[in-house]
């Protein structure tokens, strides 16, 4: 057993080093941004900048909402044009049978932004907190993530 211990330790060290160099890097943009109040947030972390925009405000669950994300590589000082970007919307602190998950694709006017327009989910609660999970996977396998919380009031039905 003592004979194999150095090889075992060497294998563990090799796995740790291999994971550090070859696993995808994941960067989480922490934020205190009031997206719902401003409609747009600019977040910086390490070598990247994220600009996320939501419109129109105020949010109405019965109307389509436009989501737009731009990513900038601060080291090279250029906008990122190739990425796989998804947005997941999930009711916060609530078990839901379905979630809304959709891609953001390159904008028609500009290849430097990723966009989608979707109708916001509705809920039976008068005031609902929704969490938006934004994820972008860059061509070099770097993963950029952030979340935003939104409070949405259920619209009153007109009879």
């Amino acid at each position: 057993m003592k004979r194999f211990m150095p090889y075992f330790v060497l294998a563990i060290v090799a796995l740790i080093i291999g994971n550090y160099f070859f696993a995808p890097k994941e960067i989480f943009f922490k934020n205190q941004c009031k997206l719902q109040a401003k409609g747009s947030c600019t977040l910086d972390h390490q070598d990247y900048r994220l600009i996320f925009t939501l419109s129109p405000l105020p949010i109405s669950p019965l109307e389509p909402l436009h989501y737009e994300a731009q990513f900038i590589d601060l080291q090279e000082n250029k906008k990122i044009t190739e990425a796989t970007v998804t947005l997941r919307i999930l009711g916060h602190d609530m078990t839901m049978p379905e979630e809304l998950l959709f891609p953001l694709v390159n904008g028609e006017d500009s290849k430097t932004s990723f966009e989608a327009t979707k109708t916001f989910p509705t809920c039976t609660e008068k005031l609902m907190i929704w969490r938006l999970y934004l994820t972008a996977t860059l061509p070099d396998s770097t993963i950029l993530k952030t979340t935003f919380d939104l409070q949405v009031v259920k619209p009153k039905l007109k009879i």
Side-chain angles (χ1 to χ4, degrees), residues 24 49 58 68 92 112 119 125 137 148 150 157:
R49 173 172 292 150
E68 183 176 350
H92 191 269
T112 61
T119 301
E125 300 293 321
T137 305
F148 298 99
L150 303 174
L157 297 175

Side-chain angles (χ1 to χ4, degrees), residues 3-68:
R3 239 173 94 183
F4 295 108
M5 192 55 117
Y7 295 112
F8 180 73
V9 170
L10 186 61
I12 295 296
V13 170
L15 286 172
I16 292 170
I17 291 171
N19 185 51
Y20 178 78
F21 285 107
F22 299 112
K25 303 294 184 257
E26 189 170 293
I27 297 170
F28 185 80
F29 291 85
K30 292 182 182 177
N31 72 76
Q32 297 296 322
C33 180
K34 305 292 185 206
L35 177 63
Q36 199 164 355
K38 298 189 294 184
S40 181
C41 290
T42 300
L43 310 172
D44 289 342
H45 188 280
Q46 294 179 355
D47 299 329
Y48 297 97
R49 173 172 292 150
L50 161 64
I51 303 167
F52 187 73
T53 307
L54 186 66
S55 63
L57 294 177
I59 298 169
S60 173
L62 302 176
E63 296 178 19
L65 207 55
H66 185 75
Y67 308 89
E68 183 176 350

Side-chain angles (χ1 to χ4, degrees), residues 99-149:
E99 64 181 49
L100 186 60
L101 174 69
F102 53 91
L104 274 68
V105 295
N106 283 107
E108 291 185 23
D109 296 336
S110 167
K111 297 295 181 192
T112 61
S113 66
F114 300 88
E115 304 175 21
T117 301
K118 297 283 182 186
T119 301
F120 202 81
T122 58
C123 187
T124 58
E125 300 293 321
K126 184 176 180 181
L127 177 68
M128 182 67 188
I129 298 176
W130 296 93
R131 179 159 287 171
L132 279 59
Y133 296 88
L134 181 67
T135 304
T137 305
L138 306 183
D140 68 356
S141 297
T142 299
I143 300 170
L144 307 177
K145 291 183 171 187
T146 195
T147 61
F148 298 99
D149 286 344

